[in-house]
Structures are given as structure tokens and as C-alpha cells.
Amino acid sequence: MMDDKESARVGVAIRRRRRALSLTLAAVSGRSGLSVPFLSQIENERARPSRTSLERVADALGTTAVELLSAADAARTVEVVRAESESQLQPDTDTDSDTDSDPESGAGRPVPSTRRLVHGHHQLHALEFIGDHDAGREFQHRNDELMYVVEGAVEVEAEGRAYRLARGDSMFLSGGVRHRWRAAVPETRVLVVAVGEHVKAERE
């Protein structure tokens, strides 16, 4: 038996199903009778559909509520990366695809050692950079990014302005911001968390 309010995680399954069918939110709205803003909130996990609403969405997508909930359960992932897993430290030269590439990694050239904190194909990328970084490489990502200095210090140039971040400092960069950075002292460790390039973020 399903609860009156379904898990918000079903929004992930709904969005994947809709995109697989190449349907817009407006099209699903027309088929289900639910408003576009409400459907957007469901997909972005800001609203929980009732059983009735979920069934209406499922009908609009040519599937069932049970199948959507099963897909949502399958999408749930819990993974622990241990601090002592030093074997995961390696130069990152992954150039296989745009969607799985890491936001701050170079391609086809020596890069600083990194530790991948999120494995697989997910909406979120998280990397720990250890040591120096090539300040000559400029980045401009499609989606938002957060940089946090775990140890040491970094010098960042973003949109023509220079910043120095020390241990414990962080910097938020919205999608589209041009930036470059380098380690300012040896043994610097930087955590970079970013929304995957393959994700089409919906702006408010």
C-alpha cells in the first residue's frame, strides 16, 4: 500500500521518464491536468505528489505509479569513501565523455592528483585536489560550483577579479562564471563540488 504522500525522490524518476519521451513540462501538464509549476516542484524534489497526482503523472508518461516508485528506489545511492583510501589518489585524465568528466580536470596533459569523492554517473561531482594546479587553464562550467579550501591556500581569478582563499574559506561560482585557480602553498587540498555538466538546471 502506498502512503498518501509519496517520496520526493520520485521526482528524479519522473524527470528521467519525461526526458526519455522528449516531453516538455507543458505537455505533461496538458496530459495530467497538473500545473507546470507543480510538476517542476515535483521533479526538483521541492514538492511531494499525492497518490492521485502521481497516478495522473504516470498516465501522462505512459507508465504506472508503481514503476515510477521502483525507478526512484533504484536511483537511490549511498556510498562511503574512506579518508584512508589513498589508492584512489591519481592524476585525472578522463576524457571519455562530457557528462562524466570532472569539472576541474584537465585533458591530455599532466594534472594535479585528485581523489574522486563521488563515483559513477550522478548529478553531483565532488573532487579533492591535492598539490599545485595549473593556473593557466580557464574554466567555465554550465552549472554551479563550490570550492572549499581544506588545507593551505589558493589564488583564484574569477570574472577578472583576484581572490585569495585560506584554510576554511569557500567560494561559490554560479554557472557561466569564467575562472582559474592555483595552489598558493605546497600541500594544498581543495574540495570542489559541482553540478554535473550534463544536468540542465532550471533557474528560478
Side-chain angles (χ1 to χ4, degrees):
M1 178 181 295
M2 292 186 293
D3 295 333
D4 182 60
K5 294 291 184 179
E6 305 300 348
S7 169
R9 286 293 298 174
V10 77
V12 175
I14 290 173
R15 181 169 58 246
R16 287 178 178 172
R17 175 71 178 178
R18 175 177 64 80
R19 289 178 175 174
L21 296 173
S22 299
L23 294 175
T24 64
L25 284 173
V28 178
S29 174
R31 294 182 180 187
S32 66
L34 301 174
S35 70
V36 169
F38 181 54
L39 290 171
S40 178
Q41 289 178 344
I42 292 174
E43 288 194 357
N44 289 284
E45 303 178 4
R46 294 196 296 268
R48 293 172 180 244
S50 66
R51 175 176 178 173
T52 300
S53 294
L54 182 58
E55 289 175 344
R56 289 164 68 178
V57 173
D59 287 341
L61 296 175
T63 186
T64 67
V66 173
E67 289 178 342
L68 287 175
L69 289 170
S70 296
D73 287 337
R76 291 175 179 150
T77 300
V78 177
E79 179 185 19
V80 175
V81 177
R82 300 294 182 185
E84 63 271 16
S85 300
E86 293 299 321
S87 61
Q88 297 182 53
L89 295 174
Q90 56 185 344
D92 194 333
T93 57
D94 180 11
T95 59
D96 291 340
S97 69
D98 292 333
T99 57
D100 274 343
S101 62
D102 299 310
E104 299 293 77
S105 299
R109 61 180 177 80
V111 293
S113 295
T114 63
R115 188 160 70 109
R116 191 187 298 265
L117 304 180
V118 177
H119 300 125
H121 184 77
H122 298 291
Q123 296 184 12
L124 190 70
H125 289 298
L127 291 166
E128 183 183 34
F129 285 81
I130 300 95
D132 203 359
H133 186 77
D134 182 6
R137 181 170 172 78
E138 182 179 72
F139 302 98
Q140 183 180 33
H141 305 309
R142 175 177 182 173
N143 295 315
D144 297 346
E145 174 183 343
L146 179 72
M147 178 183 294
Y148 176 77
V149 181
V150 180
E151 294 287 348
V154 299
E155 294 175 351
V156 185
E157 181 183 325
E159 294 295 325
R161 295 186 60 184
Y163 304 85
R164 184 182 176 89
L165 305 180
R167 177 182 177 183
D169 290 344
S170 64
M171 173 179 284
F172 171 78
L173 301 159
S174 64
V177 171
R178 296 180 181 277
H179 62 285
R180 55 168 55 94
W181 65 276
R182 64 177 292 272
V185 299
E187 304 303 322
T188 291
R189 288 178 176 254
V190 179
L191 177 65
V192 175
V193 180
V195 178
E197 294 290 289
H198 64 288
V199 176
K200 183 179 180 181
E202 296 187 15
R203 306 294 178 181
E204 295 291 344

